[in-house]
Amino acid sequence: MRRIAATPRPDWQKKVEEKGLTWHTGEQPYWNEAAFYEFTAKEVDVLETATNELEKMTLQAAQHVIDNKLYARLAIPEMAVPLIESSWEAEPPSLYGRFDLAFDGVNPPKLLEYNADTPTGLLEAAVVQWYWLQDCFPKRDQFNSLHERLVALWKELAQYLPGRRIDFCSMDDAEDGMTVTYLQDTAQQAGLQASIFPIDEIGWDGNTFLGPDDRPLGTVFKLYPWEWMVREEFGKHIGAAETTWMEPPWKMLLSNKGILPILWQLFPRHPYLLEASFDGPGLMMAWAKKPILGREGANILLHQPGKDVETGGDYGEDGFIFQQMATLKSFDGMYPVIGSWLIGHEEGNAAGGMGLRESDTPITTNTSLFVPHLFD
Amino acid sequence: MKKSTKVTLTVVAAVGLASCGRSRRDPCEQGSFNEMACQDATRSGGYYYGGSWYPMMYRYPYPYYYDHYRTHVSNGGRVVSAPAGSYARPGGAASSPGVTHGGFGSIGAGHGAGE
């Protein structure tokens, strides 16, 4: 695994915009092709194997939470429990997820967290970096079959979607909008009817959730976290309505940082896991304190002897977990985190590709840069 | 085996092209400026056009686009308005009695929900 400096394509902004990445530059470029990461095929195999193994482990952890009613430990409100349990039994459609992994090319990947419910950055990983590869290194390869897998999965799911239709909704936000617009595209390529609208335009008529045009909603992909949905005004209607939601409610268990200590309890010293605890750092020398329901690197405290680094934010009122600090290797002063994507949940065959984000600190936040990759 | 070979884009490519002003009409573009729709679009991070929602990233507040539009017009620039109703929210005005909206989205208001 190497980080290699590169000269960006002269008109890279136009090229990425043409692929749908309409937000590519903030205070600095978010899409960064002034460098790329190079992997060996063996390293990609390691990441793929780890992703499939972690998928299996997290499903076992979800079953453990349900069997032992550990909902309070995860700050999940009681009213959400029937939603979780019924969706776990019924197995409604589930599309995707993303493991964030620390990896240095030498040691086994370590799970930092699992974005199981509302992962973004998909367009960059599935499409934009793929076209970058075609332009710059057409004879090289990339760990990326995300697009084909998404289209194929929608085709499989079509039979379960009333009217072969899916509606997408998200917040009025550029990054979220890009993700759902891309997913809408993949659904349409699979032959589904699809529309997209802001989540606050969902209506309720006393029995049924409705779209902005007052059409009953059969299946909705919502890029909006379950822990917020169940606490909002319409949350109390979810169980009574016939609308099927993607991702399903049971993903609430896995997008929760509390799943990390539960994984550690179930699989102690597993090579893909970092020690984690609900009760404090114990004997850990260097650790991260993360809000159970935190998002995008907010309210994280990284502790090393003699040195603390903390991020701001509004999360933490539901409690924290403590996780052994991963030893992120610095590549040219940058710390990469691998976002390893799952498409579907087919055992042993869910890993679909990866995207890398890097920061000049060991905490990945919403300002971290997306950097393309390739392998031989 | 890991190589992606069949990436084709329909909507996404259209989004990218449209952001360059070659497809639907961005209400904040000087050549297709629409005062009310642009105000809504900069506030909401996107706009409806022909009943579809188009997420956008506006880097500046509304007055910036208004000033550009005024400069464009004062320099003799042409403005091609979108057909009436193009920016309307589908079903918004005609929502049935007894239907309430806004019951989702309050916690995430003002920022993204993805991670």
Side-chain angles (χ1 to χ4, degrees):
Chain A
M1 179 181 176
R2 296 194 296 160
R3 185 181 191 274
I4 299 173
T7 302
R9 293 168 290 180
D11 53 350
W12 67 266
Q13 294 93 337
K14 181 170 177 286
K15 285 180 181 291
V16 302
E17 284 172 9
E18 285 175 353
K19 300 297 175 282
L21 191 64
T22 51
W23 189 84
H24 50 67
T25 306
E27 292 180 3
Q28 57 182 330
Y30 158 66
W31 168 265
N32 176 27
E33 58 179 69
F36 63 89
Y37 283 84
E38 181 186 60
F39 293 81
T40 65
K42 188 178 173 190
E43 288 164 347
V44 169
D45 286 343
V46 167
L47 289 163
E48 184 179 33
T49 301
T51 300
N52 286 324
E53 177 69 13
L54 283 167
E55 154 76 348
K56 204 164 93 179
M57 292 160 63
T58 51
L59 292 177
Q60 288 179 42
Q63 184 70 63
H64 177 77
V65 173
I66 291 169
D67 289 346
N68 295 281
K69 308 271 183 204
L70 300 177
Y71 304 109
R73 207 70 172 106
L74 304 183
I76 289 173
E78 278 185 28
M79 59 83 63
V81 172
L83 297 175
I84 292 169
E85 294 185 348
S86 60
S87 67
W88 182 254
E89 284 302 313
E91 297 185 26
S94 169
L95 190 71
Y96 74 159
R98 194 191 73 228
F99 290 122
D100 284 349
L101 305 173
F103 185 55
D104 59 10
V106 177
N107 297 295
K110 299 285 189 186
L111 177 64
L112 298 171
E113 60 186 56
Y114 183 14
N115 298 299
D117 187 19
T118 60
T120 52
L122 181 62
L123 175 70
E124 299 90 302
V127 176
V128 183
Q129 69 169 345
W130 175 252
Y131 280 100
W132 165 86
L133 184 75
Q134 300 312 299
D135 282 348
C136 302
F137 302 97
K139 294 183 178 172
R140 310 289 290 277
D141 210 340
Q142 192 173 81
F143 180 27
N144 180 8
S145 58
L146 294 167
H147 185 86
E148 302 95 306
R149 282 172 176 262
L150 284 166
V151 174
L153 183 55
W154 285 123
K155 286 179 179 172
E156 273 181 43
L157 296 179
Q159 61 185 306
Y160 304 107
L161 308 182
R164 298 176 67 86
R165 178 183 182 93
I166 175 109
D167 293 291
F168 293 85
C169 58
S170 70
M171 292 301 296
D172 289 338
D173 173 80
E175 185 182 13
D176 295 2
M178 287 191 305
T179 300
V180 291
T181 302
Y182 172 58
L183 287 172
Q184 179 193 25
D185 184 271
T186 59
Q188 288 176 330
Q189 288 190 40
L192 298 173
Q193 285 193 70
S195 75
I196 186 169
F197 48 81
I199 194 166
D200 63 1
E201 296 194 3
I202 289 177
W204 173 252
D205 69 358
N207 295 298
T208 308
F209 286 115
L210 306 171
D213 53 359
D214 286 352
R215 176 179 43 80
L217 295 173
T219 309
V220 177
F221 179 96
K222 48 88 210 163
L223 192 70
Y224 196 74
W226 272 110
E227 67 260 25
W228 294 355
M229 285 182 73
V230 297
R231 288 170 170 84
E232 292 186 342
E233 183 188 345
F234 283 177
K236 58 183 178 288
H237 303 315
I238 295 170
E242 290 189 3
T243 301
T244 298
W245 301 91
M246 294 175 72
E247 294 297 306
W250 63 262
K251 283 292 191 84
M252 231 182 302
L253 303 175
L254 300 184
S255 61
N256 186 304
K257 303 294 186 297
I259 206 66
L260 298 169
I262 289 170
L263 280 165
W264 185 254
Q265 289 164 12
L266 291 176
F267 307 99
R269 294 181 176 76
H270 192 286
Y272 298 149
L273 299 179
L274 295 160
E275 182 179 356
S277 165
F278 285 107
D279 304 321
L283 297 177
M284 294 179 233
M285 295 293 288
W287 40 266
K289 181 183 174 189
K290 299 180 174 180
I292 282 180
L293 299 178
R295 311 180 69 77
E296 295 200 314
N299 300 101
I300 288 179
L301 169 64
L302 293 185
H303 170 82
Q304 297 178 80
K307 184 184 176 188
D308 284 356
V309 179
E310 192 165 11
T311 59
D314 301 324
Y315 301 102
E317 65 181 26
D318 296 296
F320 293 84
I321 63 105
F322 296 81
Q323 184 186 43
Q324 178 194 346
M325 194 187 297
T327 312
L328 288 181
K329 182 179 172 183
S330 166
F331 292 80
D332 300 334
M334 301 300 281
Y335 297 92
V337 168
I338 288 169
S340 188
W341 288 90
L342 303 163
I343 306 298
H345 294 279
E346 184 184 342
E347 188 171 333
N349 187 33
M354 68 178 175
L356 281 86
R357 292 184 69 179
E358 62 174 20
S359 308
D360 57 7
T361 73
I363 301 179
T364 301
T365 69
N366 57 3
T367 58
S368 301
L369 312 181
F370 191 100
V371 188
H373 80 275
L374 52 76
F375 79 95
D376 283 318
Chain B
M1 182 177 121
K2 315 231 166 31
K3 195 164 182 171
S4 183
T5 55
K6 291 183 288 189
V7 173
T8 54
L9 298 169
T10 52
V11 172
V12 171
V15 169
L17 288 172
S19 70
C20 303
R22 277 180 263 160
S23 173
R24 58 193 156 72
R25 294 178 192 169
D26 183 340
C28 297
E29 276 285 321
Q30 57 188 13
S32 56
F33 192 81
N34 180 301
E35 191 172 338
M36 293 300 292
C38 181
Q39 286 181 36
D40 277 348
T42 52
R43 195 167 45 237
S44 303
Y47 58 88
Y48 279 104
Y49 190 88
S52 293
W53 173 252
Y54 295 95
M56 298 291 287
M57 181 68 184
Y58 293 101
R59 295 175 193 165
Y60 307 100
Y62 166 74
Y64 171 88
Y65 301 99
Y66 181 76
D67 290 347
H68 261 251
Y69 157 70
R70 293 301 307 165
T71 304
H72 174 69
V73 171
S74 62
N75 290 336
R78 187 163 166 251
V79 178
V80 179
S81 300
S86 296
Y87 297 112
R89 296 189 167 217
S95 196
S96 306
V99 177
T100 54
H101 294 268
F104 287 131
S106 56
I107 296 177
H111 50 85
E115 56 187 344

